[in-house]
């Protein structure tokens, strides 16, 4: 397996949608290729960081204000 | 009262379905529950697309009001959440169009880029690299980095990886094909990774300098 072939399957590997046979092949490539190993681990980390950090917080005061506005309109029957 | 017949069979019903049914019978408090359940996500998606706080506030309001008005059109065969996200994405894009008057805005723009198709920066990252930054610094880095992605990549990444929609749901929400979503997702992930490397790469310590005195 070449690095390009590995890269084409990177998402499937990350999203865990590869067959066991394919996974074995990918693992085999990883053993001998530091570049792909790093690409895989840092891409995983990228996703994890974006998933676990709130970068657009909805502050409680704003939340309540928006919420009140929405419900007021809904009660009027929009 | 309308009868809820499970056409899908014995599958357990998503709790949202019951809430939606109650909203349809005029129970506003059930809608209150739905709004509170999803407001953060909708606000976040609106921020990611409009990149503007006021626009995101407006989008959030408009999206929930529109969903309320159109609740009768909601079909039980998709999730309420994905249906709501689709409304929010459309509202966000409309808001962008208004802001950049005359300029067409679509999720297809700026898509011609080869950047990130092949990883260049292959330095490994420090273990737990985010811990080298304060929460505020880190949030700023993450915001700046994702804002630099082409719109069409950014939305796919946000829906798929941040908000947890499936590939199929993302495709349906954005009106894209599944292969298009997949190819954008890969490029979005790789570009973000490449850009974050600047901040997170392992710092090389020259041997002669030692680590610490
Ligand atoms: Zn490789």
């Amino acid at each position: 397996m070449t690095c390009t072939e590995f890269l084409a399957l990177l998402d499937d590997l990350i999203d865990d949608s590869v067959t066991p046979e394919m996974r074995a092949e990918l693992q085999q490539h990883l053993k001998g290729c530091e570049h792909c190993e790093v690409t895989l681990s840092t891409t995983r980390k990228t996703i994890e960081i974006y998933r676990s950090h709130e970068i657009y917080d909805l502050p409680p005061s704003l939340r309540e204000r928006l919420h009140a506005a929405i419900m007021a309109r809904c009660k009027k029957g929009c | 009262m309308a009868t809820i017949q499970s056409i899908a069979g014995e599958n357990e019903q998503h709790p949202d379905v019951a809430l939606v049914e109650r909203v349809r019978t005029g129970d506003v408090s059930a809608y209150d529950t739905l709004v509170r359940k999803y407001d953060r996500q909708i606000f976040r998606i609106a921020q990611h697309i409009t990149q503007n706080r006021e626009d995101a506030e407006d989008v959030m309001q408009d999206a929930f009001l529109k969903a309320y008005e159109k609740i009768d059109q909601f079909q039980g065969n998709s999730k309420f959440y994905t249906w709501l996200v689709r409304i929010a994405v459309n509202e966000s894009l409309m808001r962008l169009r208004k802001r950049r008057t005359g300029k067409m805005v679509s999720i297809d723009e700026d898509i011609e880029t080869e950047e990130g198709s092949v990883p260049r920066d292959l330095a490994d990252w420090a273990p737990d690299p985010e811990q080298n930054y304060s929460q505020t610094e880190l949030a700023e880095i993450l915001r700046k980095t994702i804002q630099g992605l082409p719109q069409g990549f950014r939305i796919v990444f946000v829906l798929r990886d941040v908000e947890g929609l499936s590939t199929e749901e993302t495709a349906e929400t954005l009106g894209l094909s599944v292969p298009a979503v997949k190819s954008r997702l890969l490029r979005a992930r790789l570009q973000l990774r490449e850009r974050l490397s600047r901040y997170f790469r392992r710092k090389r310590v020259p041997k002669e300098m030692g680590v610490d005195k």
Side-chain angles (χ1 to χ4, degrees):
Chain A
M1 178 178 283
T2 66
C3 292
T4 310
E5 287 166 338
F6 180 89
L7 209 58
L9 289 162
L10 181 71
D11 275 345
D12 291 331
L13 183 62
I14 289 174
D15 299 330
D16 207 14
S17 56
V18 286
T19 61
E21 298 77 43
M22 190 48 79
R23 174 176 298 277
E25 267 191 64
L26 292 162
Q27 298 291 0
Q28 191 61 35
H29 179 82
L30 281 178
K31 268 190 209 156
C33 183
E34 208 194 329
H35 281 188
C36 287
E37 166 101 62
V38 168
T39 303
L40 173 65
S41 68
T42 53
T43 304
R44 274 202 173 120
K45 186 76 190 173
T46 298
I47 298 166
E48 188 212 308
I49 286 180
Y50 272 104
R51 227 174 244 169
S52 56
H53 290 85
E54 184 61 83
I55 60 173
Y56 292 123
D57 213 12
L58 178 57
S61 58
L62 174 59
R63 187 178 188 218
E64 290 314 314
R65 182 164 66 72
L66 292 175
H67 192 81
I70 293 166
M71 294 323 290
R73 290 269 301 277
C74 288
K75 278 180 186 136
K76 271 199 285 179
C78 293
Chain B
M1 197 180 282
T3 48
I4 311 161
Q5 269 176 353
S6 171
I7 298 161
E10 316 297 281
N11 293 346
E12 76 277 30
Q13 182 178 264
H14 194 284
D16 288 353
V17 175
L19 286 167
V20 168
E21 274 311 312
R22 282 172 51 199
V23 176
R24 281 178 177 155
T25 63
D27 183 348
V28 182
S29 75
Y31 199 60
D32 190 89
T33 310
L34 285 169
V35 175
R36 289 199 179 272
K37 193 167 170 188
Y38 296 121
D39 55 1
R40 289 168 204 283
Q41 288 96 313
I42 297 302
F43 183 69
R44 197 157 56 210
I45 291 167
Q47 277 265 16
H48 274 295
I49 300 177
T50 64
Q51 317 218 57
N52 176 291
R53 173 68 164 258
E54 285 164 34
D55 283 345
E57 291 178 22
D58 289 346
V59 166
M60 186 183 128
Q61 277 202 43
D62 293 350
F64 278 112
L65 290 172
K66 193 161 266 183
Y68 186 78
E69 280 169 29
K70 295 180 16 175
I71 199 99
D72 282 328
Q73 292 170 34
F74 169 70
Q75 312 265 312
N77 51 20
S78 70
K79 284 188 209 145
F80 176 74
Y81 174 55
T82 14
W83 183 72
L84 186 61
V85 167
R86 194 175 329 143
I87 294 175
V89 168
N90 288 336
E91 288 290 317
S92 302
L93 290 173
M94 256 166 50
R95 181 76 41 173
L96 268 189
R97 279 179 205 123
K98 252 188 229 163
R99 196 165 271 270
R100 312 184 193 166
T101 32
K103 195 172 173 232
M104 266 306 285
V105 178
S106 81
I107 47 166
D108 290 319
E109 75 170 14
D110 309 323
I111 222 67
E112 293 310 320
T113 165
E114 283 306 303
E115 187 203 343
S117 314
V118 179
R120 279 171 305 194
D121 189 337
L122 289 160
D124 201 0
W125 291 2
D128 301 317
E130 66 270 42
Q131 280 167 19
N132 295 328
Y133 298 93
S134 72
Q135 283 298 315
T136 326
E137 284 171 332
L138 182 65
E140 187 54 36
I141 289 170
L142 296 178
R143 263 195 301 273
K144 248 181 12 202
T145 303
I146 200 165
Q147 281 175 358
L149 277 191
Q151 173 89 283
F153 290 4
R154 191 169 63 238
I155 303 183
V156 168
F157 180 82
V158 167
L159 295 187
R160 183 66 179 62
D161 279 343
V162 181
E163 305 303 335
L165 268 64
S166 70
T167 304
E168 289 72 21
E169 287 168 341
T170 305
E172 198 197 320
T173 302
L174 300 177
L176 294 168
S177 68
V178 166
V181 167
K182 283 187 168 173
S183 111
R184 286 176 190 206
L185 181 65
L186 176 63
R187 294 205 276 165
R189 285 171 167 179
L190 290 176
Q191 283 192 23
L192 286 175
R193 187 206 74 87
E194 188 93 16
R195 289 162 192 232
L196 285 181
S197 267
R198 269 203 299 157
Y199 305 98
F200 294 160
R201 55 167 61 230
R202 194 188 288 275
K203 304 272 185 292
R204 246 177 256 264
V205 183
K207 253 195 183 135
E208 60 272 25
M209 280 171 66
V211 182
D212 247 334
K213 276 259 165 94

